[in-house]
Amino acid sequence: MPGLLRGVARTAVVAGTATAVSNRVSRRQQGRWATQAAEQQPYQQPQSYQQPPPPPAPQAPPSTADEMTNKIDQLKQLGDLKAQGVLTEAEFEEQKRRLLA
């Protein structure tokens, strides 16, 4: 019986050590991946330091399909800037109002 108990104890120690090592390796990998992800993201200035984009020049009402397409593209760009967090909701609405005026 003592031989059996010693074998069970040894197995428990080996399994516990393997689990501890595996957990530590996982934590280190997650830390490295988080560091790499942070390094790959471009630096963005805080919102208070960013300059708002210049307002589009006032234009006459569109008279051709090309001008209408141009306005749609500008609206899409404004939407993208808002989605990226470059424009606030108020800035977006102001620029949209100017574009459609």
Side-chain angles (χ1 to χ4, degrees), residues 4-42:
L4 180 61
L5 191 56
R6 189 177 313 154
V8 170
R10 182 179 297 147
T11 301
V13 168
V14 169
T17 303
T19 301
V21 169
S22 174
N23 289 340
R24 183 163 190 264
V25 168
S26 294
R27 283 192 304 270
R28 286 179 63 198
Q29 284 178 339
Q30 288 175 349
R32 286 182 183 167
W33 292 336
T35 303
Q36 288 175 353
E39 290 173 356
Q40 291 175 354
Q41 293 178 350

Side-chain angles (χ1 to χ4, degrees), residues 43-59:
Y43 173 74
Q44 293 183 354
Q45 291 182 343
Q47 285 288 42
S48 61
Y49 297 115
Q50 291 182 346
Q51 295 291 328
Q59 297 177 346

Side-chain angles (χ1 to χ4, degrees), residues 38-83:
E39 290 173 356
Q40 291 175 354
Q41 293 178 350
Y43 173 74
Q44 293 183 354
Q45 291 182 343
Q47 285 288 42
S48 61
Y49 297 115
Q50 291 182 346
Q51 295 291 328
Q59 297 177 346
S63 59
T64 65
D66 290 336
E67 289 178 349
M68 184 60 79
T69 303
N70 187 23
K71 286 194 182 251
I72 291 172
D73 290 339
Q74 288 177 348
L75 284 171
K76 286 180 183 178
Q77 289 174 351
L78 284 174
D80 290 340
L81 290 173
K82 180 183 164 211

